[in-house]
Amino acid sequence: MIRNAVKASGLEPSDTNFGATANRLRAERGMDAIGQLCIPEVERQTASLILIDGIRGDSEVNLFRKVFPGFTLVRIDSSFGNRLSRVMARGPFG
């Protein structure tokens, strides 16, 4: 959703613009702003299982629980080193 917002704003896809856009959306719409943007997209899907990755806080979790009664939160732990090596392997804007 953040990538879509960056593109819609005519900005270059960069870590700086992704972060600034996410921060702006949360400042304008609240801490569940990204979740709010996800809801219409999830509702358009016809699959029996939808995966949302990158949830950033309790506000988004609470919103998804309210809107989608069957919502299940899955947490995956990985060390910083593992996450860093995966990000580096994906390359820019992976």
Side-chain angles (χ1 to χ4, degrees):
M1 303 292 33
I2 295 168
R3 289 178 188 276
N4 291 346
V6 166
K7 184 177 181 179
S9 297
L11 300 170
E12 291 295 318
S14 69
D15 289 341
T16 299
N17 287 336
F18 295 144
T21 298
N23 289 337
R24 177 182 55 79
L25 288 168
R26 289 183 182 110
E28 292 172 0
R29 300 177 68 164
M31 292 305 292
D32 62 357
I34 311 308
Q36 293 173 31
L37 295 173
C38 288
I39 290 170
E41 184 62 32
V42 170
E43 289 175 335
R44 278 192 285 275
Q45 303 305 309
T46 58
S48 61
L49 178 68
I50 307 295
L51 175 69
I52 301 171
D53 122 352
I55 292 176
R56 293 288 185 248
D58 291 343
S59 295
E60 291 177 0
V61 171
N62 292 335
L63 176 64
F64 291 140
R65 284 186 173 143
K66 183 173 89 177
V67 174
F68 306 115
F71 174 80
T72 300
L73 180 65
V74 176
R75 173 182 161 177
I76 300 173
D77 282 325
S78 182
S79 71
F80 176 78
N82 283 341
R83 293 191 322 263
L84 179 60
S85 66
R86 291 175 187 145
V87 167
M88 298 301 287
R90 285 195 302 254
F93 319 115

